């Protein structure tokens, strides 16, 4: 289909790069993400699904389901918590997909109670291919799935990279996003000091990390860390002293002995630099004050190093990103103890789950970070 050239960075004048289209006609969409009809699917999908009820003359009904897991939802090759992840990997939170049939499998507890129903969804890019199974309790279909669609027969699902680290509640794997910039070189953040417009989203508390959101995406990708986690940590840290920029040295006056947007201690910076000398060169801890780019880079790479110190599996219902946040605030040893089953202390609980009146916990910032990066229209998260 067609997209406006002014929103696509091709590196030069499109007229000089490619030829004019010949015989082009208006694109007629055959798929709508939120309302895929049975007429769109037709017999092509029914044959590909191979559902027993369809072969027996079932109704072939479909229903739209919206992900309500609170984070990206794992797609499995079978209706089982232990099944491999399907090729598509994860479904974005709050997005809608079409369910063609359901199948009973492992019992899962989620947003809509507890049951054994798993919903089979259809690949939006290929209407003749089944994507995989998701736990019905994490998909809002507007009713009882058993009355909305038919039961599935045997369906072959393409596998994808398996996740060795499950997230909380079993059916929710730990999501990891990588943000790729999709706009031109125009500024990503505009607006008055008290608020920022990032793409089509507005943030009413315009902290410094939001102004530097392009650097957050850049260095998160370099360190192979979810950019939402980097932005969340930076927003949490920058807000924790309750002051506006500039005046960063006030952190030292309060006895925090930390510098930069990420409130990083000298020993932490030096350890991170020692592990990545090519990344930090001759930069020193004192340089964090006033150097936002260095602060963002240091935060991303420290999270990278913390992730390398996590065990392959852990106890409790903390997600990987929550454990990394605990490690960022309290150190790797504390993170590892909690991963091993030690109940988190008040400081760790507050850092992760503090509410808007209580120092802004990391989880309080997560949805905003997701909107500002993955749903801003400036980046494509995958």
């Amino acid at each position: 289909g067609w997209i406006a050239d002014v929103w696509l960075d091709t590196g030069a004048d499109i007229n000089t790069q490619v030829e004019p289209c010949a015989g082009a006609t208006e694109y007629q969409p055959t798929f709508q993400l939120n309302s895929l009809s049975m007429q769109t699917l037709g017999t092509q999908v029914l044959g590909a699904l191979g559902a027993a009820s369809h072969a027996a003359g079932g109704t072939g009904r479909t229903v739209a389901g919206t992900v309500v897991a609170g984070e990206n939802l794992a797609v499995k090759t079978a209706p089982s918590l232990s099944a491999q992840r399907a090729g598509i990997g994860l479904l974005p939170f709050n997005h809608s997909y079409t369910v063609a049939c359901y199948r009973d499998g492992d019992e899962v507890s989620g947003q809509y109670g507890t049951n054994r129903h798993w919903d089979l969804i259809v690949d939006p890019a290929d209407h003749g291919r089944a994507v995989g199974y998701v736990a019905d309790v994490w998909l809002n279909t507007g009713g009882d799935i058993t009355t909305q669609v038919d039961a599935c027969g045997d369906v072959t699902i393409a596998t994808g990279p398996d996740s060795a680290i499950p997230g909380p509640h079993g059916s929710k794997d730990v999501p990891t996003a990588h943000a790729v910039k999709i706009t031109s070189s125009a500024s990503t953040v505009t607006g008055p000091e008290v608020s920022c417009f990032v793409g089509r989203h507005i943030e009413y508390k315009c902290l410094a990390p939001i102004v530097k959101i392009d650097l957050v995406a850049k260095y998160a990708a370099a360190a192979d860390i979810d950019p939402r986690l980097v932005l969340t940590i930076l927003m949490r840290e920058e807000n924790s002293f309750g002051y506006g920029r500039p005046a960063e040295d006030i952190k030292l006056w309060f006895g925090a002995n930390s510098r930069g947007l990420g409130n990083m201690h000298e020993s932490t910076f030096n350890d991170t630099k020692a592990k990545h000398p090519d990344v930090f060169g001759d930069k020193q801890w004192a340089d964090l004050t006033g150097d936002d780019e260095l602060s963002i880079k240091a935060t991303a790479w420290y999270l990278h190093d913390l992730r390398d110190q996590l065990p392959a599996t852990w106890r409790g219902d903390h997600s990987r990103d929550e454990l990394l946040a605990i490690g960022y605030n309290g150190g790797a040893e504390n993170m590892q103890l909690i991963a091993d089953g030690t109940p988190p202390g008040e400081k760790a609980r507050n850092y992760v789950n503090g509410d808007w009146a209580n120092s802004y916990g990391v989880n309080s910032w997560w949805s905003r970070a997701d909107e500002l990066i993955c749903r801003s229209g400036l980046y494509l998260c995958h």
Side-chain angles (χ1 to χ4, degrees):
W2 304 94
I3 58 174
D5 176 69
V6 292
W7 290 114
L8 200 66
D9 181 6
T10 62
D13 181 358
I14 194 67
N15 293 319
T16 66
Q17 296 176 300
V18 296
E19 300 294 331
C21 298
T25 58
E26 182 179 357
Y27 176 62
Q28 299 295 329
T30 58
F31 176 80
Q32 293 181 354
L33 188 61
N34 294 316
S35 58
L36 182 58
S37 67
M38 194 60 233
Q39 287 72 31
T40 303
L41 288 171
T43 57
Q44 179 188 20
V45 167
L46 299 187
L49 292 179
S53 61
H54 295 155
T59 61
R61 296 167 295 174
T62 62
V63 64
T66 302
V67 177
V68 294
E71 55 187 272
N72 295 0
L73 185 62
V75 185
K76 300 289 189 174
T77 55
S80 170
L81 295 172
S82 61
Q84 276 191 298
R85 187 185 292 178
I88 195 173
L90 298 163
L91 298 187
F93 167 64
N94 209 31
H95 283 215
S96 183
Y97 291 85
T98 293
V99 178
C101 56
Y102 77 94
R103 189 174 182 180
D104 285 348
D106 288 353
E107 185 176 273
V108 177
S109 296
Q111 181 72 23
Y112 297 110
T114 301
N115 65 45
R116 296 183 178 278
H117 308 322
W118 290 69
D119 303 341
L120 185 65
I121 62 169
V122 177
D123 184 353
D126 181 356
H127 307 164
R129 187 173 73 89
V131 168
Y133 293 93
V134 295
D136 178 68
V137 292
W138 291 115
L139 207 64
N140 179 15
T141 62
D144 181 354
I145 194 66
T146 64
T147 66
Q148 295 173 305
V149 295
D150 299 326
C152 299
D154 292 330
V155 183
T156 300
I157 307 296
T159 61
D162 196 19
S163 173
I165 307 178
H169 311 298
S171 67
K172 293 194 294 180
D173 282 1
V174 177
T176 299
H178 294 277
V180 179
K181 196 170 183 180
I182 59 175
T183 61
S184 66
S185 59
S187 174
T188 60
V189 182
T190 60
E193 182 178 354
V194 295
S195 64
C196 294
F197 290 90
V198 182
R200 54 178 173 264
H201 288 274
I202 184 172
E203 174 55 56
Y204 292 99
K205 195 173 185 64
C206 188
L207 300 174
I210 298 172
V211 178
K212 306 289 185 177
I213 199 168
D214 56 331
L215 296 177
V216 171
K218 174 182 176 180
Y219 288 115
D224 194 26
I225 290 291
D226 193 318
R228 296 170 298 181
L229 177 62
V230 177
L231 182 59
T232 295
I233 292 289
L234 290 170
M235 289 193 293
R236 167 64 173 82
E237 293 292 340
E238 181 66 2
N239 187 70
S240 61
F241 283 86
Y243 63 89
R245 294 286 302 267
E248 209 170 275
D249 280 330
I250 198 170
K251 301 170 188 177
L252 301 179
W253 304 344
F254 276 127
N257 198 29
S258 61
R259 291 180 181 270
L261 299 182
N263 288 328
M264 184 167 286
H265 291 276
E266 186 171 9
S267 60
T268 301
F269 179 84
N270 289 339
D271 288 346
T272 305
K273 175 183 173 180
K275 293 177 181 177
H276 310 284
D278 293 342
V279 173
F280 293 96
D282 60 356
K283 292 292 185 180
Q284 303 297 318
W285 174 67
D287 297 331
L288 289 172
T289 298
D291 190 337
D292 292 347
E293 184 168 1
L294 179 61
S295 289
I296 294 167
K297 183 190 297 186
T299 296
W301 281 101
Y302 180 43
L303 288 168
H304 171 278
D305 296 341
L306 286 171
R307 186 189 61 194
D308 287 348
Q309 298 175 69
L310 268 178
T313 60
W314 54 81
R315 300 178 182 179
D317 61 356
H318 286 100
S319 71
R320 178 178 58 189
D321 289 330
E322 287 173 338
L323 286 172
L324 291 178
I326 290 171
Y328 188 91
N329 179 246
E333 183 177 353
N334 188 44
M335 174 188 72
Q336 291 165 341
L337 287 172
I338 294 173
D340 196 40
T342 301
E346 181 180 357
K347 182 180 178 181
R349 292 197 304 270
N350 179 60
Y351 194 79
V352 172
N353 293 316
D355 56 31
W356 292 107
N358 189 21
S359 298
Y360 302 90
V362 164
N363 283 341
S364 300
W365 288 106
W366 185 267
S367 62
R368 293 304 295 160
D370 183 65
E371 289 179 340
L372 293 170
I373 296 179
C374 295
R375 289 186 278 164
S376 65
L378 295 169
Y379 297 91
L380 173 65
C381 285
H382 58 86

